[in-house]
């Protein structure tokens, strides 16, 4: 499960939001300082993060912090999402590369990359591994990833054929479906999409990707499938106001999150939206709300992050 999207504001700010849809686990906001050290569960290699990170994760479920999403001191933000059993990890380690479990990638990205451009350059140095030959059996983690930065560029990162492939995402929405390109094709059923040839196809409002013509188009789908949530998030963004600033953007972002939040259910499954979070990449602010909390909490980098 999980739904991720970015939301721009008129003052040039950018919010990167997500629902964390999974079985219950203890997730909480956390600050990780520069120089934070951890050991890869694949081979015990010690990794020292270069940059400070503010994010959401679990401290007890794994041998080290399991970071699900967050932002670093340069405004690079990243998230992990489930990937509908389509992750293709490597069995054999390649000498000279960093071997990680899937759940460790966000921790590595935010601790060691300054921007999406930096991520593009460094990602080839990383392998996501199965636990076939690992020193710690971490099981199967079917994940893919999304990232953005203050430039507004958003990318998906998918494990394909044992390699990490970066896909540009001008729509600014991602869920769990294995074929992002196919989701974009389906979106054309519900809105008149312009050619997605640049970061923003509508310079006056980068949250919008259509011509504005919805005449004759069907109503967007309900339900909680990845495709349904993808369509709703994209269309809610399309029809929303253009927020003036960060404060207004948080409000609009949370209303869009309401439309893709998965409630608890006795009959559907045991997964639900454990929490919703968003980071303002310019101010490096984290907004966080647990399922059973009606309030949204705010967290920022401490004055001294070193």
């Amino acid at each position: 499960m999980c739904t991720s999207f970015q939301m721009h504001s008129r003052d040039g700010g950018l919010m990167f939001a997500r629902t964390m849809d999974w079985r219950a686990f203890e997730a909480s906001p956390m600050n990780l300082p520069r120089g934070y050290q951890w050991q890869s569960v694949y081979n015990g290699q010690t990794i020292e993060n270069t940059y400070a990170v503010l994010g959401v994760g679990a401290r007890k479920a794994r041998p080290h912090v399991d970071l699900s999403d967050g932002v670093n001191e340069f405004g690079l933000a990243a998230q992990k999402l489930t990937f509908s059993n389509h992750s293709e990890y490597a069995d054999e380690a390649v000498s000279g590369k960093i071997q990680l479990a899937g759940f460790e990638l966000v921790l590595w990205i935010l601790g060691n990359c300054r921007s999406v451009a930096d991520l593009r350059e460094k990602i080839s140095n990383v392998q996501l591994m199965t636990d076939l030959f690992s020193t710690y059996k971490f099981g199967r983690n079917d994940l893919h990833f999304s990232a953005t930065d203050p430039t507004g560029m958003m990318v998906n990162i998918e494990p394909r054929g044992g390699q990490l492939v970066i896909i540009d995402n001008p729509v600014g929405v991602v869920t769990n479906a294995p074929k992002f390109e196919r989701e974009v094709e389906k979106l054309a059923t519900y809105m008149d999409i312009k050619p997605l040839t640049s970061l923003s196809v509508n310079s006056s409002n980068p949250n919008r990707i259509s011509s504005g013509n919805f005449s004759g188009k069907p109503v967007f789908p309900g339900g909680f499938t990845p495709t349904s949530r993808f369509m709703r998030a994209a269309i809610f963004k399309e029809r929303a106001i253009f927020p003036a600033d960060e404060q207004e953007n948080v409000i609009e972002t949370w209303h869009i999150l309401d439309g893709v939040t998965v409630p608890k259910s006795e009959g559907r499954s045991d997964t639900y939206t454990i929490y919703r979070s968003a980071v303002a990449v310019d101010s490096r602010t984290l907004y966080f709300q647990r399922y059973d909390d009606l309030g949204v909490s705010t967290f920022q980098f401490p004055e001294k992050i070193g």
Side-chain angles (χ1 to χ4, degrees):
M1 306 290 275
C2 305
T3 304
S4 167
F5 63 90
Q6 58 176 199
M7 190 73 173
H8 297 261
S9 56
R10 291 184 185 274
D11 63 356
L14 177 65
M15 198 74 61
F16 195 38
R18 63 93 49 83
T19 62
M20 169 53 81
D21 306 335
W22 195 239
R23 302 173 187 88
F25 71 95
E26 191 63 35
S28 59
M30 59 183 68
N31 281 293
L32 304 179
R34 295 173 184 160
Y36 175 78
Q37 290 188 345
W38 50 285
Q39 285 73 43
S40 164
V41 296
Y42 180 78
N43 55 13
Q45 177 184 1
T46 297
I47 298 172
E48 181 172 327
N49 284 357
T50 304
Y51 309 123
V53 178
L54 171 63
V56 182
R59 292 187 181 274
K60 298 180 180 179
R62 305 284 191 178
H64 57 71
V65 165
D66 181 358
L67 197 66
S68 298
D69 49 86
V71 63
N72 70 15
E73 60 187 279
F74 289 95
L76 176 66
Q79 305 167 347
K80 67 179 181 183
L81 302 90
T82 54
F83 198 36
S84 301
N85 300 315
H86 277 75
S87 300
E88 298 173 352
Y89 300 133
D91 291 328
E92 300 284 346
V94 174
S95 177
K97 293 195 174 186
I98 300 169
Q99 284 78 38
L100 302 176
F103 76 89
E104 296 176 314
L105 186 62
V106 169
L107 178 59
W108 178 84
I109 288 173
L110 294 181
N112 296 278
C113 300
R114 296 168 63 109
S115 64
V116 169
D118 193 27
L119 172 60
R120 289 184 192 274
E121 291 185 5
K122 294 177 177 176
I123 200 68
S124 61
N125 295 324
V126 175
Q127 283 185 288
L128 293 192
M129 310 299 295
T130 68
D131 68 357
L132 184 63
F133 302 114
S134 66
T135 56
Y136 172 87
K137 296 303 178 183
F138 47 83
R140 177 77 181 177
N141 298 273
D142 274 301
L143 299 169
H144 66 157
F145 312 87
S146 57
T148 192
D149 65 20
T151 69
M153 177 65 69
M154 179 172 169
V155 295
N156 303 343
I157 307 162
E158 298 184 356
R160 295 183 180 180
Q163 298 182 337
L164 289 169
V165 178
I166 292 184
I167 303 167
D168 290 341
N169 186 342
V171 175
V173 177
V174 64
T175 56
N176 319 105
K179 297 291 185 181
F180 174 72
E181 299 85 355
R182 189 179 301 165
E183 297 296 273
V184 176
E185 290 177 4
K186 293 176 184 177
L187 186 58
T189 303
Y190 302 97
M191 65 171 72
D192 184 15
I193 300 178
K194 294 182 177 181
L196 301 178
T197 56
S198 63
L199 175 63
S200 172
V201 295
N202 184 334
S203 58
S204 63
N205 183 347
N207 297 320
R208 295 180 175 173
I209 60 172
S210 84
S211 65
N213 179 19
F214 286 80
S215 178
K217 299 293 184 181
V219 176
F220 55 80
F224 300 108
T225 66
T227 295
S228 295
R229 288 180 283 106
F230 184 95
M231 302 305 154
R232 289 204 298 279
I235 292 169
F236 289 154
K237 280 182 55 180
E238 185 75 18
R239 305 305 291 265
I241 66 167
F242 194 4
D245 52 27
E246 183 174 323
Q247 183 177 6
E248 195 169 273
N249 202 355
V250 174
I251 294 170
E252 295 307 310
T253 293
W254 241 254
H255 284 302
I256 295 173
L257 287 169
D258 286 340
V260 293
T261 293
V262 180
K264 289 182 178 179
S265 173
E266 293 183 350
R268 190 191 67 258
S269 74
D270 58 352
T271 61
Y272 64 98
T273 298
I274 296 168
Y275 68 82
R276 287 111 61 96
S277 67
V279 292
V281 300
D282 299 275
S283 67
R284 285 46 157 182
T285 303
L286 168 68
Y287 299 90
F288 177 78
Q289 182 184 35
R290 291 186 175 88
Y291 182 89
D292 56 358
D293 190 347
L294 295 179
V296 179
S297 300
T298 303
F299 300 86
Q300 293 182 311
F301 274 108
E303 291 184 9
K304 295 182 179 180
I305 59 177

